Amino acid sequence: MPSSFRSPAEIAEGLEGIGYLADDALAMAVHLALGLDRPLLLEGANGVGKTEVASALAQLLGRDLVRLQCYEGLDATQALYDWHYARQLLDVRGGSSSSADVFTRDYLLPRPLLTALEAGDRAVLLIDEIDRADDEFEAFLLELLSDFAVTIPEIGRVAAPSPPLVVLTSNRTRDLHTALRRRCLYHWVAHPGAEREYRILRARAPHVAPELARQVADSVARIRAVVLGSPPGVGETIDWASALAMVGSATLSPQDAAATLSALIKDVDDQQRVAERMADLVPSAP
Ligand SMILES: Nc1ncnc2c1ncn2[C@@H]1O[C@H](COP(=O)(O)OP(=O)(O)OP(=O)(O)O)[C@@H](O)[C@H]1O
Ligand SMILES: [Mg+2]
Protein backbone atom coordinates (compact mmCIF):
# COMPACT_ATOMS: atom_id res chain seq x y z
CA MET A 1 0.00 0.00 0.00
CA PRO A 2 2.09 2.94 -1.20
CA SER A 3 1.44 6.19 0.59
CA SER A 4 -1.10 8.33 -1.22
CA PHE A 5 0.56 11.46 0.14
CA ARG A 6 2.69 12.98 -2.57
CA SER A 7 4.38 15.75 -0.63
CA PRO A 8 5.39 16.75 2.89
CA ALA A 9 2.76 19.48 2.72
CA GLU A 10 0.04 16.87 2.13
CA ILE A 11 1.28 14.86 5.09
CA ALA A 12 1.33 17.95 7.33
CA GLU A 13 -2.16 18.84 6.18
CA GLY A 14 -3.44 15.31 6.77
CA LEU A 15 -1.93 15.22 10.26
CA GLU A 16 -3.42 18.60 11.08
CA GLY A 17 -6.80 17.24 10.07
CA ILE A 18 -6.55 14.70 12.89
CA GLY A 19 -5.17 17.18 15.43
CA TYR A 20 -1.41 16.68 15.10
CA LEU A 21 0.55 19.80 14.20
CA ALA A 22 3.83 18.82 12.58
CA ASP A 23 6.49 21.30 11.53
CA ASP A 24 7.91 21.23 7.99
CA ALA A 25 11.01 19.24 8.89
CA LEU A 26 9.01 16.47 10.57
CA ALA A 27 6.59 16.27 7.65
CA MET A 28 9.57 15.96 5.30
CA ALA A 29 11.17 13.24 7.44
CA VAL A 30 7.92 11.23 7.35
CA HIS A 31 7.61 11.77 3.61
CA LEU A 32 11.14 10.42 3.09
CA ALA A 33 10.63 7.48 5.45
CA LEU A 34 7.54 6.42 3.49
CA GLY A 35 9.12 6.97 0.08
CA LEU A 36 12.47 5.34 0.85
CA ASP A 37 11.10 2.56 3.10
CA ARG A 38 13.41 3.54 5.92
CA PRO A 39 12.74 3.50 9.66
CA LEU A 40 12.41 6.92 11.25
CA LEU A 41 14.28 7.65 14.48
CA LEU A 42 12.78 10.51 16.48
CA GLU A 43 14.75 11.96 19.35
CA GLY A 44 13.63 14.75 21.60
CA ALA A 45 12.80 15.90 25.10
CA ASN A 46 9.83 14.60 27.08
CA GLY A 47 6.40 15.48 25.80
CA VAL A 48 7.29 16.91 22.40
CA GLY A 49 4.93 14.58 20.53
CA LYS A 50 7.21 11.68 19.51
CA THR A 51 4.88 8.86 20.54
CA GLU A 52 1.81 10.71 19.38
CA VAL A 53 3.09 11.21 15.85
CA ALA A 54 3.29 7.45 15.35
CA SER A 55 -0.34 6.95 16.31
CA ALA A 56 -1.39 9.98 14.27
CA LEU A 57 0.41 8.50 11.26
CA ALA A 58 -1.29 5.13 11.73
CA GLN A 59 -4.62 6.90 11.78
CA LEU A 60 -3.77 9.04 8.77
CA LEU A 61 -2.51 6.12 6.69
CA GLY A 62 -5.35 3.85 7.79
CA ARG A 63 -2.91 1.32 9.25
CA ASP A 64 -2.78 -0.57 12.53
CA LEU A 65 -0.50 0.87 15.18
CA VAL A 66 1.68 -1.89 16.63
CA ARG A 67 3.49 -0.61 19.70
CA LEU A 68 6.51 -2.02 21.44
CA GLN A 69 7.27 -0.21 24.70
CA CYS A 70 10.95 -0.72 25.51
CA TYR A 71 12.31 -1.18 29.03
CA GLU A 72 15.45 -2.42 30.71
CA GLY A 73 15.66 -6.19 30.37
CA LEU A 74 13.36 -6.39 27.34
CA ASP A 75 14.57 -9.28 25.24
CA ALA A 76 13.94 -10.70 21.81
CA THR A 77 11.37 -13.28 22.89
CA GLN A 78 9.18 -10.75 24.66
CA ALA A 79 9.34 -8.43 21.69
CA LEU A 80 9.12 -10.92 18.83
CA TYR A 81 7.25 -14.13 19.60
CA ASP A 82 6.55 -16.78 22.16
CA TRP A 83 5.59 -20.41 21.82
CA HIS A 84 2.02 -21.44 22.55
CA TYR A 85 3.16 -23.90 25.23
CA ALA A 86 -0.27 -25.07 26.33
CA ARG A 87 -1.24 -25.93 22.78
CA GLN A 88 2.07 -27.63 22.10
CA LEU A 89 1.62 -29.75 25.20
CA LEU A 90 -1.98 -30.66 24.40
CA ASP A 91 -1.20 -31.65 20.82
CA VAL A 92 1.82 -33.73 21.78
CA ARG A 93 -0.06 -35.46 24.60
CA GLY A 94 -3.15 -35.94 22.45
CA GLY A 95 -1.00 -37.50 19.79
CA SER A 96 -2.01 -35.13 16.99
CA SER A 97 1.57 -33.85 16.71
CA SER A 98 5.00 -35.21 17.45
CA SER A 99 7.26 -33.12 19.61
CA ALA A 100 9.20 -32.11 16.50
CA ASP A 101 6.08 -30.79 14.77
CA VAL A 102 5.12 -28.26 17.39
CA PHE A 103 7.80 -25.74 16.51
CA THR A 104 6.08 -24.32 13.47
CA ARG A 105 4.32 -21.05 12.73
CA ASP A 106 1.03 -22.55 13.94
CA TYR A 107 2.39 -22.70 17.46
CA LEU A 108 3.85 -19.22 17.53
CA LEU A 109 2.29 -16.44 19.53
CA PRO A 110 3.33 -13.27 17.75
CA ARG A 111 4.52 -10.38 19.89
CA PRO A 112 4.62 -6.81 18.50
CA LEU A 113 7.63 -7.16 16.19
CA LEU A 114 6.37 -10.31 14.49
CA THR A 115 2.85 -8.90 14.30
CA ALA A 116 4.15 -5.81 12.51
CA LEU A 117 6.43 -7.76 10.19
CA GLU A 118 3.62 -10.07 9.11
CA ALA A 119 1.29 -7.12 8.58
CA GLY A 120 3.87 -5.36 6.41
CA ASP A 121 2.64 -2.06 5.03
CA ARG A 122 -0.70 -2.47 6.80
CA ALA A 123 1.09 -1.53 10.03
CA VAL A 124 2.92 1.33 11.65
CA LEU A 125 5.43 -0.18 14.07
CA LEU A 126 6.26 2.08 17.01
CA ILE A 127 9.38 1.04 18.92
CA ASP A 128 8.93 3.45 21.79
CA GLU A 129 11.75 4.65 24.04
CA ILE A 130 14.45 2.46 22.52
CA ASP A 131 17.00 4.16 24.81
CA ARG A 132 15.45 2.27 27.75
CA ALA A 133 16.30 -1.13 26.24
CA ASP A 134 19.75 -2.72 26.58
CA ASP A 135 22.54 -2.77 24.03
CA GLU A 136 21.83 -6.39 23.11
CA PHE A 137 18.27 -5.57 22.20
CA GLU A 138 19.43 -2.73 19.99
CA ALA A 139 21.79 -5.14 18.22
CA PHE A 140 18.95 -7.63 17.79
CA LEU A 141 16.92 -4.96 15.99
CA LEU A 142 19.51 -4.36 13.28
CA GLU A 143 18.31 -7.12 10.93
CA LEU A 144 14.74 -5.99 11.33
CA LEU A 145 15.60 -2.35 10.63
CA SER A 146 17.68 -3.00 7.53
CA ASP A 147 15.84 -5.95 5.95
CA PHE A 148 12.38 -5.86 7.58
CA ALA A 149 13.04 -9.49 8.49
CA VAL A 150 13.95 -11.54 11.55
CA THR A 151 15.38 -14.99 12.02
CA ILE A 152 13.57 -17.40 14.30
CA PRO A 153 15.88 -20.36 15.06
CA GLU A 154 13.23 -23.13 14.75
CA ILE A 155 11.53 -21.66 11.69
CA GLY A 156 14.02 -19.62 9.74
CA ARG A 157 13.80 -16.18 8.30
CA VAL A 158 10.52 -14.33 8.43
CA ALA A 159 10.42 -11.36 6.06
CA ALA A 160 7.71 -8.71 5.85
CA PRO A 161 5.65 -9.00 2.63
CA SER A 162 6.15 -5.24 2.27
CA PRO A 163 7.92 -2.79 4.58
CA PRO A 164 5.94 -1.48 7.53
CA LEU A 165 6.48 2.14 8.53
CA VAL A 166 8.78 1.90 11.54
CA VAL A 167 9.05 4.78 14.02
CA LEU A 168 11.60 4.59 16.83
CA THR A 169 11.65 7.13 19.63
CA SER A 170 14.31 8.02 22.14
CA ASN A 171 14.52 10.50 25.01
CA ARG A 172 18.28 10.38 24.69
CA THR A 173 18.83 9.02 28.18
CA ARG A 174 21.77 7.18 26.60
CA ASP A 175 23.51 7.25 23.27
CA LEU A 176 22.25 4.87 20.61
CA HIS A 177 24.70 2.90 18.51
CA THR A 178 25.87 4.20 15.17
CA ALA A 179 24.80 0.91 13.59
CA LEU A 180 21.21 1.59 14.59
CA ARG A 181 21.31 5.26 13.63
CA ARG A 182 22.75 4.45 10.23
CA ARG A 183 19.76 2.29 9.35
CA CYS A 184 17.28 5.07 10.11
CA LEU A 185 16.36 8.52 8.98
CA TYR A 186 16.82 10.88 11.89
CA HIS A 187 14.75 13.77 13.10
CA TRP A 188 15.15 15.82 16.26
CA VAL A 189 11.74 16.81 17.62
CA ALA A 190 12.02 20.21 19.27
CA HIS A 191 9.54 21.95 21.54
CA PRO A 192 7.03 23.82 19.41
CA GLY A 193 7.34 27.58 19.21
CA ALA A 194 4.54 29.76 20.57
CA GLU A 195 2.64 29.91 17.27
CA ARG A 196 2.55 26.16 16.72
CA GLU A 197 1.76 25.48 20.37
CA TYR A 198 -1.16 27.90 20.11
CA ARG A 199 -2.47 25.88 17.18
CA ILE A 200 -1.94 22.66 19.13
CA LEU A 201 -3.99 24.14 21.98
CA ARG A 202 -6.77 25.10 19.60
CA ALA A 203 -6.81 21.54 18.24
CA ARG A 204 -6.40 19.64 21.51
CA ALA A 205 -8.12 21.93 24.01
CA PRO A 206 -10.90 23.62 22.03
CA HIS A 207 -12.73 24.45 25.29
CA VAL A 208 -9.96 26.94 26.15
CA ALA A 209 -10.80 30.40 24.80
CA PRO A 210 -8.48 31.55 21.98
CA GLU A 211 -7.19 34.57 23.91
CA LEU A 212 -6.23 32.48 26.93
CA ALA A 213 -4.68 29.85 24.66
CA ARG A 214 -2.55 32.53 23.01
CA GLN A 215 -1.31 33.85 26.37
CA VAL A 216 -0.58 30.35 27.64
CA ALA A 217 1.44 29.51 24.52
CA ASP A 218 3.43 32.74 24.80
CA SER A 219 4.12 32.24 28.52
CA VAL A 220 5.15 28.61 28.07
CA ALA A 221 7.66 29.67 25.41
CA ARG A 222 9.16 32.14 27.90
CA ILE A 223 9.12 29.54 30.69
CA ARG A 224 11.00 27.05 28.49
CA ALA A 225 13.69 29.65 27.95
CA VAL A 226 14.40 29.61 31.73
CA VAL A 227 16.96 26.94 32.60
CA LEU A 228 14.82 24.19 34.13
CA GLY A 229 15.64 20.63 35.15
CA SER A 230 12.66 19.41 33.21
CA PRO A 231 11.01 21.89 30.82
CA PRO A 232 7.26 21.41 30.36
CA GLY A 233 6.12 19.26 27.43
CA VAL A 234 3.15 19.90 25.18
CA GLY A 235 0.92 17.69 27.34
CA GLU A 236 1.69 19.96 30.31
CA THR A 237 0.81 23.04 28.26
CA ILE A 238 -2.55 21.46 27.40
CA ASP A 239 -3.13 20.58 31.07
CA TRP A 240 -2.19 24.05 32.21
CA ALA A 241 -4.52 25.75 29.75
CA SER A 242 -7.31 23.39 30.84
CA ALA A 243 -6.58 24.09 34.52
CA LEU A 244 -6.70 27.85 33.91
CA ALA A 245 -9.97 27.53 32.05
CA MET A 246 -11.30 25.40 34.89
CA VAL A 247 -10.55 28.01 37.57
CA GLY A 248 -12.31 30.56 35.42
CA SER A 249 -9.41 32.61 34.05
CA ALA A 250 -10.53 34.54 30.99
CA THR A 251 -7.02 35.90 30.57
CA LEU A 252 -3.76 34.80 32.13
CA SER A 253 -2.70 36.58 35.34
CA PRO A 254 0.43 35.95 37.44
CA GLN A 255 -1.85 35.01 40.36
CA ASP A 256 -3.79 32.35 38.44
CA ALA A 257 -0.57 31.13 36.87
CA ALA A 258 0.97 30.62 40.32
CA ALA A 259 -2.16 28.92 41.63
CA THR A 260 -2.25 26.38 38.77
CA LEU A 261 1.48 25.79 38.34
CA SER A 262 1.06 22.18 39.51
CA ALA A 263 -0.38 21.38 36.08
CA LEU A 264 2.62 22.75 34.21
CA ILE A 265 5.79 22.21 36.26
CA LYS A 266 6.36 18.86 37.95
CA ASP A 267 9.47 19.53 40.01
CA VAL A 268 9.84 21.59 43.18
CA ASP A 269 13.08 23.34 42.17
CA ASP A 270 11.67 24.17 38.73
CA GLN A 271 8.50 25.54 40.35
CA GLN A 272 10.67 27.74 42.53
CA ARG A 273 12.62 29.05 39.52
CA VAL A 274 9.43 29.89 37.66
CA ALA A 275 7.74 31.43 40.71
CA GLU A 276 10.70 33.75 41.26
CA ARG A 277 10.40 35.14 37.72
CA MET A 278 6.62 35.03 37.45
CA ALA A 279 6.22 38.74 36.80
CA ASP A 280 8.39 38.50 33.66
CA LEU A 281 7.14 35.16 32.48
CA VAL A 282 3.45 35.95 32.87
CA PRO A 283 2.97 39.69 32.43
CA SER A 284 -0.03 41.24 34.19
CA ALA A 285 -2.79 42.44 31.90
CA PRO A 286 -2.16 46.07 30.87
N1 LIG B 1 2.60 18.48 17.44
C1 LIG B 1 1.59 18.11 18.24
N2 LIG B 1 0.31 18.24 17.85
C2 LIG B 1 -0.70 17.86 18.66
N3 LIG B 1 -0.54 17.36 19.89
C3 LIG B 1 0.71 17.21 20.34
C4 LIG B 1 1.84 17.57 19.54
N4 LIG B 1 2.97 17.32 20.24
C5 LIG B 1 2.57 16.83 21.42
N5 LIG B 1 1.22 16.74 21.50
C6 LIG B 1 0.45 16.25 22.65
O1 LIG B 1 1.30 16.30 23.78
C7 LIG B 1 1.20 15.14 24.57
C8 LIG B 1 2.55 14.50 24.75
O2 LIG B 1 2.98 13.94 23.52
P1 LIG B 1 3.78 12.55 23.45
O3 LIG B 1 3.32 11.64 24.52
O4 LIG B 1 3.71 12.08 22.06
O5 LIG B 1 5.24 13.06 23.79
P2 LIG B 1 6.60 12.22 23.76
O6 LIG B 1 7.55 13.02 22.96
O7 LIG B 1 6.34 10.82 23.35
O8 LIG B 1 7.02 12.29 25.29
P3 LIG B 1 7.85 11.23 26.17
O9 LIG B 1 9.26 11.36 25.71
O10 LIG B 1 7.66 11.74 27.58
O11 LIG B 1 7.25 9.89 25.92
C9 LIG B 1 0.17 14.25 23.89
O12 LIG B 1 -1.04 14.41 24.56
C10 LIG B 1 0.07 14.80 22.49
O13 LIG B 1 -1.21 14.65 22.03
MG1 LIG C 1 6.54 9.04 24.32
Side-chain angles (χ1 to χ4, degrees):
M1 190 170 31
S3 155
S4 55
F5 296 92
R6 282 168 314 229
S7 68
E10 282 185 14
I11 290 172
E13 213 173 283
L15 287 173
E16 182 163 0
I18 53 177
Y20 190 92
L21 282 295
D23 65 9
D24 294 348
L26 175 58
M28 177 55 103
V30 169
H31 178 63
L32 295 177
L34 285 167
L36 302 173
D37 289 330
R38 297 292 291 277
L40 177 59
L41 170 59
L42 301 176
E43 275 193 326
N46 286 310
V48 291
K50 303 181 297 296
T51 301
E52 186 71 18
V53 73
S55 60
L57 282 168
Q59 201 185 328
L60 179 65
L61 299 167
R63 302 185 184 189
D64 292 332
L65 179 70
V66 182
R67 179 175 181 172
L68 177 68
Q69 171 64 53
C70 298
Y71 52 88
E72 213 181 309
L74 172 66
D75 67 24
T77 49
Q78 290 153 323
L80 186 59
Y81 68 92
D82 213 339
W83 292 105
H84 202 314
Y85 293 113
R87 227 165 104 200
Q88 286 178 321
L89 207 64
L90 270 175
D91 287 359
V92 172
R93 283 211 185 131
S96 63
S97 289
S98 79
S99 54
D101 292 339
V102 294
F103 290 97
T104 60
R105 176 64 188 86
D106 289 346
Y107 294 90
L108 276 186
L109 281 176
R111 301 283 185 225
L113 297 183
L114 188 58
T115 302
L117 275 185
E118 292 188 329
D121 66 7
R122 286 176 291 116
V124 172
L125 170 61
L126 168 62
I127 303 179
D128 213 10
E129 308 189 354
I130 178 66
D131 51 331
R132 288 175 187 260
D134 314 302
D135 284 8
E136 300 81 61
F137 186 73
E138 228 184 275
F140 158 77
L141 281 181
L142 296 178
E143 182 190 6
L144 187 147
L145 296 177
S146 53
D147 302 344
F148 300 109
V150 288
T151 303
I152 297 177
E154 295 86 348
I155 289 184
R157 197 160 182 271
V158 180
S162 49
L165 174 62
V166 182
V167 177
L168 298 102
T169 79
S170 162
N171 282 333
R172 233 189 180 188
T173 56
R174 68 172 176 82
D175 240 338
L176 302 175
H177 286 266
T178 332
L180 182 129
R181 291 178 180 280
R182 285 185 45 236
R183 284 163 172 77
C184 303
L185 304 178
Y186 177 83
H187 177 70
W188 171 259
V189 188
H191 285 117
E195 179 55 35
R196 189 155 59 93
E197 198 150 33
Y198 167 72
R199 288 166 50 222
I200 294 173
L201 281 174
R202 295 303 297 144
R204 295 276 159 144
H207 55 284
V208 175
E211 192 187 349
L212 180 59
R214 174 72 68 192
Q215 292 170 329
V216 165
D218 289 346
S219 290
V220 169
R222 284 191 287 269
I223 289 170
R224 288 203 189 107
V226 176
V227 178
L228 298 177
S230 166
V234 176
E236 278 75 40
T237 307
I238 296 171
D239 283 352
W240 194 38
S242 302
L244 285 160
M246 192 184 146
V247 300
S249 310
T251 58
L252 186 54
S253 67
Q255 293 73 23
D256 286 351
T260 53
L261 209 53
S262 59
L264 184 71
I265 307 286
K266 314 289 174 71
D267 174 87
V268 64
D269 295 330
D270 285 348
Q271 283 194 346
Q272 189 72 39
R273 288 180 190 110
V274 171
E276 279 163 8
R277 296 170 181 77
M278 195 61 96
D280 298 327
L281 298 171
V282 179
S284 304

